[in-house]
Amino acid sequence: MSLQERKAEVDRRIAEACRRAGRDPREVGVIAVTKYVSLERTREALAAGCRQLGENRWQDARAKWEALAEEYGAERAGTGPEWHFIGSLQTNKAKDVVGKFTYIHSLDRLSLAEAIDRKAASLGIEVPCFIQVNVSGEASKHGLEPAGLEELARGLRDYPRVRPIGLMTMAPHEEEPEATRPVFRRLRELRDEANAREWFMEPLAELSMGMSNDFEIAIEEGATRVRLGTVLVGHEEERV
Ligand SMILES: *Cc1c(COP(=O)(O)O)cnc(C)c1O
């Protein structure tokens, strides 16, 4: 299947999931996760209309980021990729990604917020961030415990360059995607609770949840961004 065909198939499945949930497909943004694929394949994704790109490690993303920044510079500005940093981020690496990635999906502690804020202030920008929550409680998953969200939210008020816009989670890999539903539902409930209790300065509008294996369930539970690698751009052997 060509990338266009894959994209059409993903769009169709998103539309179906939205129909089941009574949602408008325009509420669901697709992030093409290019971490498993080459620069060439990433260019194809852009040509197929995937402008939101996700990567989880700066070392691996760097060559693609730099090449595309050049290709989409100056005269093509505004048509190039919008980058999402979706991997866990060490505090001392925040300076590498702030200013290059528009969104950060893995904010989970105040020390990281401080590092993002410092770099953002030096560039005169704000960084929209998702707070990563470990809903499933799996030890292998990064993210904040749900019980820590209120305290983090209040602490973020000290870092005005960090703009919390939503919550992010990863569900455990399940043979049966339906089994992920409670994780996604819990993330939505947590966001709604945070908004009802005004933990954040501004209400959180977004939920970054759903990957290749479980995106339809995540959409039914309210995802506003799905992060799709394998199902959309594929998974090239040499980058496994
Ligand atoms: C790799 C990755 C994805 C995409 O994974 P697929 O299952 O290939 O769609 C999504 N989110 C995060 C945080 C990832 O690291």
Side-chain angles (χ1 to χ4, degrees):
M1 246 197 290
S2 72
L3 219 148
Q4 273 94 342
E5 287 167 329
R6 282 172 175 266
K7 181 164 185 298
E9 175 65 7
V10 164
D11 287 344
R12 189 192 63 70
R13 288 173 62 183
I14 291 173
E16 270 297 298
C18 284
R19 196 189 48 72
R20 287 194 294 277
R23 299 185 61 198
D24 181 339
R26 284 172 299 190
E27 294 169 10
V28 182
V30 176
I31 300 169
V33 176
T34 51
K35 69 184 186 195
Y36 302 123
V37 302
S38 63
L39 171 60
E40 192 43 51
R41 186 71 168 165
T42 305
R43 286 198 189 99
E44 284 177 43
L46 279 164
C50 306
R51 281 196 55 210
Q52 312 278 314
L53 302 183
E55 286 275 342
N56 68 339
R57 287 157 58 109
W58 171 238
Q59 308 90 285
D60 298 340
R62 183 173 188 156
K64 280 177 246 178
W65 190 94
E66 288 174 350
L68 292 170
E70 188 139 311
E71 289 166 30
Y72 285 89
E75 70 279 15
R76 294 170 79 193
T79 61
E82 190 163 64
W83 292 93
H84 294 253
F85 194 83
I86 62 173
S88 65
L89 189 54
Q90 283 173 267
T91 305
N92 64 359
K93 299 280 170 60
K95 62 181 183 318
D96 297 335
V97 308
V98 172
K100 298 191 179 74
F101 287 74
T102 307
Y103 297 89
I104 294 177
H105 288 241
S106 49
L107 177 59
D108 60 358
R109 58 196 188 279
L110 287 177
S111 57
L112 180 57
E114 185 190 358
I116 295 169
D117 187 77
R118 195 181 319 122
K119 176 72 183 188
S122 77
L123 297 172
I125 60 172
E126 275 188 15
V127 185
C129 292
F130 292 83
I131 293 151
Q132 183 171 357
V133 183
N134 183 356
V135 174
S136 67
E138 275 187 300
S140 63
K141 294 275 186 285
H142 291 277
L144 178 80
E145 277 179 49
L149 185 63
E150 179 175 4
E151 195 183 329
L152 184 84
R154 298 204 186 280
L156 286 178
R157 295 173 184 222
D158 293 337
Y159 303 110
R161 301 281 177 168
V162 173
R163 188 156 55 84
I165 60 168
L167 303 182
M168 179 274 215
T169 201
M170 289 172 80
H173 185 88
E174 302 282 357
E175 281 305 313
E176 180 45 65
E178 183 60 37
T180 61
R181 188 180 298 279
V183 171
F184 298 137
R185 182 168 295 166
R186 180 77 187 99
L187 195 73
R188 170 166 46 86
E189 289 169 353
L190 192 60
R191 186 215 34 201
D192 294 347
E193 182 183 359
N195 289 345
R197 296 176 187 263
E198 300 184 358
W199 290 347
F200 292 87
M201 301 275 279
E202 298 285 336
L204 304 180
E206 300 231 35
L207 292 171
S208 167
M209 58 188 195
M211 304 177 23
S212 291
N213 190 51
D214 52 28
F215 68 97
E216 289 145 305
I217 308 290
I219 289 169
E220 288 172 22
E221 293 301 328
T224 62
R225 309 263 183 174
V226 290
R227 308 178 309 266
L228 304 179
T230 316
V231 74
L232 180 57
V233 295
H235 194 139
E236 291 172 358
E237 292 308 322
E238 71 272 34
R239 299 225 347 129
V240 172

